[in-house]
Amino acid sequence: VESLNVMDLDVSSVGNHEFDEGVTELLRMQDGGCHPVDGCYFPGDPYAGADYQWLAANVVNDDTGETALPPYWIERVNNVEVGFIGMTLEATDTLVAASGIEGWSFEDEAETANALVPELQAQGVEAIVVLLHEGGSQDPPPGEVDACVGISGPVVAIHDALDPAIDVMVTGHTHLPYNCKLNDAAGEPRIVTSAYSFGRVVSEIDLVLDKRTKDVRRDLSSATNHLVLQNEITPDPAITAVIDKWQPLFDEIGLEVIGSTSADINRGGDPPGSDRGVESAAGNLVADAQLWATSVKAPNGAQIAFMNPGGVRSDLLEGDVTFGDAFTFQPFNNTLFTIPMTGAQIQSALEDQCQPLGSSRPFLHLGVSDGFTYDLATTIVDGDCTSVTVSNMELGGVPINLGDTYGVTVNSFLADGGDNFGTFATIDPFLRIDGGIDIDALVDYFGEFSPVDPPPTDRVNEL
């Protein structure tokens, strides 16, 4: 937030990660004040909050009907009012811990934006931009970030349902770049952009405003996705000052070596991290660490562990692993739970890997712990998972009995049904056995078994 402040950011939508610690913490990040658990990181220098405004048009309190943050923001540009509607994806409640968003609903993106159009127009606003934390994907030429080839995913359906009065969509979530002009319901072209992740692309949108109509001249407006190359940029003094302020706190714990790897341990896809729908060494490593950490804490011992692919955020390179590396790899501080599951429930949870139609990612491949294997058959059609079959489940080479009960370790995100893994959430919370914090399990695992080898990716037999 401090970096975005010195970059003079004006306005932003919320995304699912703004809710990682819940609505109350998001409001603290907006307004300022010390963290309720960690306190002030710098004595005498409390956190001042965000200078820019977060927008949360579709995050609604169940009791009051009020939004968590303002639904829109209006900027006057050369005597023309421009309205910005900001919101996160409707499925945010499946992507974050349930405890922090209790009492809040995440509503349909297109319906929310469309309902605000008359309200904005009543204030004289005709130029309208939607800032949306939801997106899609395309199939551009290699290395091309300023294209729109075969755009697909949730952004397309949301776009098609939006009121033609909305002139621009700035999107995200999928970490994929595209620059499109899609025809709205009235047949007029509308700019739809996404700018990748980690600052690798900057989207520049040039809108021509008509002072007579107060609207966007779409025929004269354009957008460009600029690729950012590290060797062509100069460090900014203001950003460097923010980094220098926080670096000592990071160094104090982040540079501590906790172990080592014998080779790179990567997420799925090429490049690593690009595909959450395949078995990965990184996901299996986390599952192994969590099974090891909880097998001695559950009364009868945990027997199987699963890990959601979105909870693994980087790769571990060959050589020494610091605490900073481990925390970047697994940064969410989730609690581990060992829960009793029948074989039938385990099978159902694995079938939940096939995501609901219209999801940003059709299939989310769980990391699986050593000793557990199964056969998997899926059908992906036009970016949707249309069928999934899980069979031949075995533990230590012994078939899983659908009626028997097994100790299964997952993090609190999965236990609450995150990422649409609803089967885990059907287990009575009173039966959960606390296994500690996930990052502690990983750190202890490296301390016990270094150098750690990349786990094999043959625990799931893809048919």
Side-chain angles (χ1 to χ4, degrees):
V1 172
E2 291 181 354
S3 296
L4 294 171
N5 283 346
V6 300
M7 291 169 65
D8 293 327
L9 180 66
D10 291 311
V11 65
S12 174
S13 67
V14 290
N16 53 289
H17 287 299
E18 269 70 45
F19 296 92
D20 281 342
E21 292 190 50
V23 173
T24 301
E25 172 62 6
L26 171 57
L27 296 177
R28 185 194 72 87
M29 289 192 289
Q30 175 75 78
D31 299 329
C34 297
H35 192 276
V37 176
D38 298 346
C40 288
Y41 297 106
F42 300 95
D45 183 20
Y47 167 64
D51 294 341
Y52 56 90
Q53 182 64 60
W54 268 301
L55 304 176
N58 65 334
V59 185
V60 178
N61 186 280
D62 294 339
D63 293 328
T64 67
E66 298 294 321
T67 56
L69 287 159
Y72 57 81
W73 179 77
I74 299 173
E75 172 76 359
R76 192 173 185 84
V77 181
N78 293 333
N79 291 323
V80 177
E81 306 278 11
V82 181
F84 295 84
I85 299 170
M87 53 190 161
T88 185
L89 72 162
E90 182 183 7
T92 292
D93 59 352
T94 71
L95 302 175
V96 299
S99 57
I101 58 172
E102 186 175 351
W104 295 88
S105 293
F106 296 81
E107 299 188 339
D108 181 272
E109 305 94 336
E111 291 178 4
T112 298
N114 291 346
L116 290 171
V117 168
E119 185 172 334
L120 287 167
Q121 289 177 330
Q123 301 176 62
V125 178
E126 297 294 341
I128 302 175
V129 178
V130 163
L131 309 175
L132 172 65
H133 193 79
E134 178 61 293
S137 61
Q138 59 153 334
D139 187 23
E144 178 60 67
V145 299
D146 194 37
C148 183
V149 181
I151 185 73
S152 62
V155 68
V156 177
I158 295 170
H159 166 273
D160 292 347
L162 283 179
D163 191 310
I166 294 169
D167 299 292
V168 180
M169 293 179 67
V170 182
T171 71
H173 187 58
T174 55
H175 298 188
L176 296 171
Y178 43 84
N179 180 15
C180 303
K181 276 197 172 182
L182 306 179
N183 286 341
D184 63 23
E188 296 297 322
R190 178 161 50 202
I191 291 173
V192 180
T193 69
S194 178
Y196 223 167
S197 59
F198 296 107
R200 289 177 288 183
V201 168
V202 172
S203 293
E204 178 185 10
I205 303 173
D206 293 316
L207 299 184
V208 176
L209 302 176
D210 189 320
K211 291 185 177 181
R212 181 179 58 84
T213 65
K214 307 299 184 183
D215 207 347
V216 174
R217 283 287 304 274
R218 297 193 196 181
D219 57 326
L220 300 178
S221 299
S222 64
T224 305
N225 273 356
H226 300 279
L227 186 65
V228 179
L229 301 176
Q230 284 190 324
N231 61 357
E232 295 181 359
I233 60 176
T234 302
D236 179 80
I239 294 293
T240 300
V242 174
I243 295 171
D244 290 344
K245 171 185 174 181
W246 288 91
Q247 193 68 45
L249 291 184
F250 171 83
D251 291 344
E252 185 177 331
I253 187 171
L255 298 182
E256 177 186 352
V257 175
I258 62 167
S260 63
T261 64
S262 62
D264 294 352
I265 301 178
N266 293 327
R267 295 165 294 164
D270 184 16
S274 62
D275 190 352
R276 297 182 186 179
V278 297
E279 185 179 4
S280 75
N284 288 355
L285 166 66
V286 174
D288 285 347
Q290 294 181 354
L291 175 62
W292 172 77
T294 57
S295 61
V296 296
K297 296 180 181 180
N300 298 314
Q303 299 160 279
I304 304 166
F306 297 118
M307 178 59 188
N308 55 300
V312 185
R313 307 301 285 189
S314 67
D315 309 302
L316 294 176
L317 303 182
E318 179 180 354
D320 286 346
V321 176
T322 65
F323 182 86
D325 296 330
F327 194 82
T328 300
F329 179 73
Q330 190 182 6
F332 293 109
N333 271 336
N334 286 319
T335 301
L336 300 181
F337 292 122
T338 301
I339 56 180
M341 298 185 72
T342 66
Q345 289 172 320
I346 294 172
Q347 183 179 48
S348 175
L350 294 174
E351 291 170 349
D352 288 342
Q353 294 176 115
C354 183
Q355 294 289 287
L357 299 181
S359 299
S360 300
R361 297 177 176 90
F363 192 87
L364 293 178
H365 205 302
L366 292 173
V368 296
S369 56
D370 188 26
F372 180 78
T373 59
Y374 67 97
D375 293 344
L376 174 68
T378 60
T379 302
I380 308 293
V381 178
D382 295 331
D384 283 320
C385 182
T386 58
S387 69
V388 58
T389 301
V390 173
S391 59
N392 195 29
M393 297 184 298
E394 294 185 353
L395 180 61
V398 178
I400 292 284
N401 189 313
L402 295 183
D404 288 349
T405 299
Y406 303 83
V408 177
T409 294
V410 293
N411 59 38
S412 51
F413 172 75
L414 282 177
D416 289 337
D419 272 345
N420 297 299
F421 284 92
T423 301
F424 293 123
T426 66
I427 308 302
D428 188 340
F430 288 103
L431 299 178
R432 296 176 179 178
I433 299 171
D434 192 323
I437 302 300
D438 55 9
I439 186 65
D440 294 338
L442 185 66
V443 170
D444 292 346
Y445 187 82
F446 269 96
E448 182 75 16
F449 296 108
S450 288
V452 173
D453 298 326
T457 55
D458 59 357
R459 297 171 182 176
V460 181
N461 180 30
E462 310 270 354
L463 300 178

